[in-house]
Amino acid sequence: AFAWKAHERVETPKGTIFPIELTSQVWQGITWKHQFVIYEPKNLETTDTVLLFITGGSTDSRRKPEDDLMAFRLAELTRARVALLPQVPNQPLFGGKKEDDLITETFLRYLESHDGSWPLLFPMVKSAVRAMDTVQSFVKNERAQEVKSFVVTGASKRGWTTWLTGASDGRVL
């Protein structure tokens, strides 16, 4: 189910915004979609490493101007591209559950079923891995450059995702 589609680029005084519709996977019969965005600063120097910032939010939320400001600030400071991956996890699910309640629900389902695919941490990591795949493919196609590595960050549940992504994927520095 992995797929991505780039939308029109947005030129700004700070750099270029590349909105991408990302489908990271189908997990437990649920398609995970993300409003993924790549930010390229005007002062781009580092082209082979990207900062992947993992955030939350509901699947019905839209990109906010403050997200653009934060991402461009990070891009300017690092002189590298920043990729913003929202909707990790995709939520709400299972009767409106979000965040900790949603993670708890998936662990309970694992304990009941002994099906190791239930813990929500696994699809959260897969969404980050698919985001990195998307960045590499997009930058190669759009800019004829090779992205070799990633710095991955996020907070709370996304912090777990950050750590597990680094533990499972050699592209993470």
Side-chain angles (χ1 to χ4, degrees):
F2 169 58
W4 60 271
K5 179 182 177 186
H7 297 285
E8 286 189 32
R9 72 175 71 189
V10 179
E11 298 292 339
T12 76
K14 294 186 177 286
T16 307
I17 301 172
F18 299 98
I20 297 173
E21 182 180 319
L22 170 62
T23 302
S24 63
Q25 65 201 292
V26 173
W27 171 78
Q28 301 298 341
I30 303 161
T31 302
W32 280 38
K33 292 190 176 280
H34 311 269
Q35 296 166 9
F36 188 51
V37 185
I38 299 172
Y39 297 84
E40 186 176 274
K42 293 265 188 209
N43 66 343
L44 180 67
E45 290 180 12
T46 302
T47 59
D48 64 348
T49 303
V50 171
L51 173 64
L52 175 61
F53 195 99
I54 304 169
T55 66
S58 297
T59 53
D60 61 356
S61 61
R62 298 286 171 236
R63 191 174 93 232
K64 298 174 246 159
E66 56 266 26
D67 292 341
D68 293 347
L69 291 172
M70 178 205 58
F72 267 128
R73 184 68 182 133
L74 290 169
E76 289 170 348
L77 289 169
T78 61
R79 298 176 188 230
R81 291 180 185 96
V82 170
L84 186 65
L85 177 63
Q87 292 107 12
V88 177
N90 265 203
Q91 57 187 354
L93 295 175
F94 308 124
K97 290 181 174 54
K98 295 181 181 180
E99 299 289 322
D100 292 333
D101 289 338
L102 181 55
I103 289 175
T104 300
E105 177 68 25
T106 66
F107 275 107
L108 291 172
R109 290 183 185 212
Y110 162 69
L111 290 172
E112 290 170 4
S113 68
H114 302 287
D115 178 352
S117 67
W118 266 111
L120 192 64
L121 302 177
F122 300 134
M124 291 171 69
V125 170
K126 187 171 185 178
S127 64
V129 169
R130 291 302 187 209
M132 293 187 301
D133 295 342
T134 301
V135 168
Q136 287 182 311
S137 181
F138 177 81
V139 170
K140 184 176 184 179
N141 292 339
E142 183 72 21
R143 298 293 198 221
Q145 295 171 341
E146 185 178 0
V147 173
K148 297 178 183 175
S149 58
F150 293 84
V151 174
V152 183
T153 189
S156 189
K157 279 123 307 269
R158 277 61 59 180
W160 297 347
T161 305
T162 296
W163 189 88
L164 290 169
T165 302
S168 64
D169 194 302
R171 295 174 290 180
V172 179
L173 296 176

